[in-house]
Amino acid sequence: MGCSAKARWAAGALGVAGLLCAVLGAVMIVMVPSLIKQQVLKNVRIDPSSLSFNMWKEIPIPFYLSVYFFDVMNPNEILKGEKPQVRERGPYVYREFRHKTNITFNNNDTVSFLEYRTFQFQPSKSHGSESDYIVMPNILVLAAAVMMENKPMTLKLIMTLAFTTLGERAFMNRTVGEIMWGYKDPLVNLINKYFPGMFPFKDEFGLFAELNNSDSGLFTVFTGVQNISRIHLVDKWNGLSKVDFWHSDQCNMINGTSGQMWPPFMTPESSLEFYSPEACRSMKLMYKESGVFEGIPTYRFVAPKTLFANGSIYPPNEGFCPCLESGIQNVSTCRQTGKIEPVVLPLLWFAESGAMEGETLHTFYTQLVLMPKVMHYAQYVLLALGCVLLLVPVICQIRSQGPEDTVSQPGLAAGPDRPPSPYTPLLPDSPSGQPPSPIA
């Protein structure tokens, strides 16, 4: 049975729709990857009109500083020559907030800014409170003792008398908050009065006091508006294209970014290079493995073994000497340490981490993972659907022509099994159905 006129019209409409879907799918396969790339490059630039500008200005990803202390259990016995006994306390977790100020766009495709950091204690993530007391070596007394090591005996006696008068001991019992963010100590005032410049601080002493409510220097980085390949790369730090803290040009170079963002479309062959004001040097992290975080594909980069290797083990690090043991770097040449000699004490260790969460994670996943994936599958679905719809009018046309060809040739279709006659008729059968008379 053939297709009716209405069916042929519907088949034609489906064929047109199929053609449009196939063309749209093919165009998407060709154009969508480049369009997505263009949009990413457009919106990662440091520009007030880009989608990532507010994220760059005030990083929404929470950073956490986890601090662990070694609490000395037998301070009196140690003074008698016994081995120290310590227990690990913590972690005491602080959230780090970062925001940029004094943002100034320059004429050479760069932007300058100061980034301030503040820390807030997170009781829910910590094992303990800032009011916990920790027994640990008295850093000020040990530092003063080291500085007096080569001084005249008279000066040593005066310092010993000062320790006794002020009640200073080799070990101190302070709260976590005091150790981290500062406490007043009469020894600081005494030394600053009679030995000015010996300590790099004036009123209070704390291991992280100078980090809270502080900035990391004036960074000038490329915006990527004119040249996307240089986006986030540091042009200058505190007005310097290279530092002069170290003893080789390679060690003094300012390479990479400011340590927060890197150019898009990185691969396992890429490396993460950045300048760290805290370490006063550039660092490079190397690719280790791929992974997935909350549905988002990730690359993991780690510090190579050579990063803090001793100069005798890794010659390029000789510029950072005077060298200590591998894993330790002397930053006294660039950090304000006064006249304090290097002292390495196992007082605490800390780790800093950051991960997307909440609304930021949802937005990032939707825009950069889910939507591109939907577009990727949609283009192939449209192409397949278009091909299927294009078959509908073809099938309808075949069904319309097939029966008409059969009816138009009945002689070929009738009696296919009749054996051929030995006689060939000269005249066709008469209309009456009787055979014609023989010809005389």
Side-chain angles (χ1 to χ4, degrees):
M1 179 181 294
C3 293
S4 64
K6 183 179 293 186
R8 286 195 297 270
W9 184 89
L14 290 176
V16 173
L19 179 61
L20 293 176
C21 289
V23 171
L24 180 59
V27 171
M28 289 179 65
I29 292 176
V30 175
M31 300 296 296
V32 165
S34 61
L35 290 175
I36 292 178
K37 183 176 181 178
Q38 290 177 6
Q39 288 300 310
V40 170
L41 294 178
K42 177 182 178 181
N43 288 294
V44 298
R45 302 178 305 175
I46 305 177
D47 185 87
S49 63
S50 69
L51 295 178
S52 63
F53 180 76
N54 289 331
M55 180 181 294
W56 170 83
K57 181 179 178 181
E58 189 165 350
I59 299 178
I61 300 174
F63 290 90
Y64 294 101
L65 176 68
S66 301
V67 184
Y68 299 79
F69 290 92
F70 294 106
D71 191 11
V72 179
M73 306 298 296
N74 59 337
N76 296 326
E77 288 75 9
I78 293 174
L79 296 177
K80 298 177 182 178
E82 296 185 12
K83 288 185 177 181
Q85 296 180 6
V86 299
R87 62 171 176 169
E88 184 180 278
R89 302 280 297 276
Y92 298 93
V93 182
Y94 296 84
R95 179 172 176 179
E96 180 180 352
F97 294 88
R98 301 181 182 182
H99 66 280
K100 295 179 176 64
T101 61
N102 296 349
I103 299 174
T104 304
F105 287 90
N106 307 310
N107 295 327
N108 60 342
D109 195 29
T110 63
V111 59
S112 302
F113 61 89
L114 290 172
E115 183 174 69
Y116 283 86
R117 296 171 296 180
T118 56
F119 295 86
Q120 291 184 3
F121 184 65
Q122 305 290 303
S124 61
K125 296 181 179 292
S126 303
H127 291 169
S129 67
E130 284 192 301
S131 60
D132 291 349
Y133 278 87
I134 305 291
V135 177
M136 62 187 300
N138 192 328
I139 302 173
L140 295 177
V141 170
L142 292 178
V146 171
M147 290 186 292
M148 292 292 113
E149 186 174 359
N150 298 321
K151 301 295 182 181
M153 182 57 67
T154 305
L155 196 56
K156 293 181 180 180
L157 291 175
I158 295 175
M159 185 61 67
T160 302
L161 180 62
F163 287 165
T164 304
T165 304
L166 297 175
E168 299 289 348
R169 298 291 183 268
F171 292 90
M172 63 179 185
N173 188 14
R174 298 280 184 181
T175 66
V176 172
E178 290 175 332
I179 297 171
M180 287 289 295
W181 310 115
Y183 58 90
K184 292 185 179 296
D185 195 302
L187 180 61
V188 175
N189 297 328
L190 177 66
I191 293 181
N192 284 334
K193 181 178 180 180
Y194 293 101
F195 305 97
M198 186 167 287
F199 281 171
F201 38 84
K202 294 183 178 180
D203 299 324
E204 295 185 351
F205 169 74
L207 295 178
F208 289 83
E210 64 176 12
L211 294 181
N212 201 16
N213 296 316
S214 65
D215 65 84
S216 54
L218 181 65
F219 272 99
T220 301
V221 303
F222 288 95
T223 65
V225 174
Q226 299 178 11
N227 187 352
I228 193 65
S229 65
R230 307 191 70 182
I231 186 173
H232 297 300
L233 295 181
V234 177
D235 179 40
K236 293 181 180 180
W237 175 74
N238 281 342
L240 302 173
S241 299
K242 64 177 183 178
V243 297
D244 57 359
F245 304 134
W246 313 111
H247 309 297
S248 70
D249 290 337
Q250 179 180 354
C251 294
N252 282 322
M253 294 176 65
I254 298 179
N255 299 324
T257 72
S258 59
Q260 299 172 356
M261 293 184 177
W262 284 266
F265 307 113
M266 301 191 74
T267 66
E269 288 72 33
S270 306
S271 61
L272 297 186
E273 196 166 11
F274 61 96
Y275 178 76
S276 170
E278 288 74 25
C280 310
R281 57 169 290 188
S282 297
M283 301 185 186
K284 180 184 289 187
L285 306 182
M286 307 304 295
Y287 170 82
K288 181 180 180 181
E289 61 188 2
S290 301
V292 177
F293 175 77
E294 299 292 342
I296 302 174
T298 60
Y299 292 147
R300 184 184 180 190
F301 293 82
V302 298
K305 295 181 179 179
T306 58
L307 184 61
F308 292 109
N310 186 287
S312 60
I313 298 175
Y314 186 61
N317 282 354
E318 289 181 350
F320 296 117
C321 291
C323 297
L324 303 175
E325 294 295 325
S326 292
I328 303 174
Q329 181 174 321
N330 184 355
V331 295
S332 61
T333 58
C334 67
R335 306 292 291 178
Q336 293 184 358
T337 58
K339 298 179 181 179
I340 299 177
E341 296 294 329
V343 179
V344 180
L345 298 172
L347 303 177
L348 77 163
W349 65 278
F350 60 92
E352 192 171 19
S353 62
M356 286 187 294
E357 58 186 28
E359 185 64 26
T360 302
L361 176 62
H362 176 73
T363 302
F364 191 91
Y365 175 79
T366 301
Q367 294 184 354
L368 297 182
V369 178
L370 183 60
M371 291 303 298
K373 186 178 293 186
V374 170
M375 295 287 289
H376 175 76
Y377 288 112
Q379 58 192 14
Y380 291 103
V381 169
L382 284 174
L383 182 62
L385 178 62
C387 293
V388 170
L389 293 178
L390 282 173
L391 291 176
V392 173
V394 175
I395 295 174
C396 184
Q397 182 67 19
I398 294 175
R399 293 186 61 188
S400 299
Q401 294 179 352
E404 294 178 359
D405 293 343
T406 303
V407 173
S408 63
Q409 299 181 6
L412 297 177
D417 297 329
R418 181 190 302 174
S421 173
Y423 303 100
T424 300
L426 298 178
L427 297 174
D429 293 343
S430 62
S432 63
Q434 298 297 326
S437 298
I439 300 174

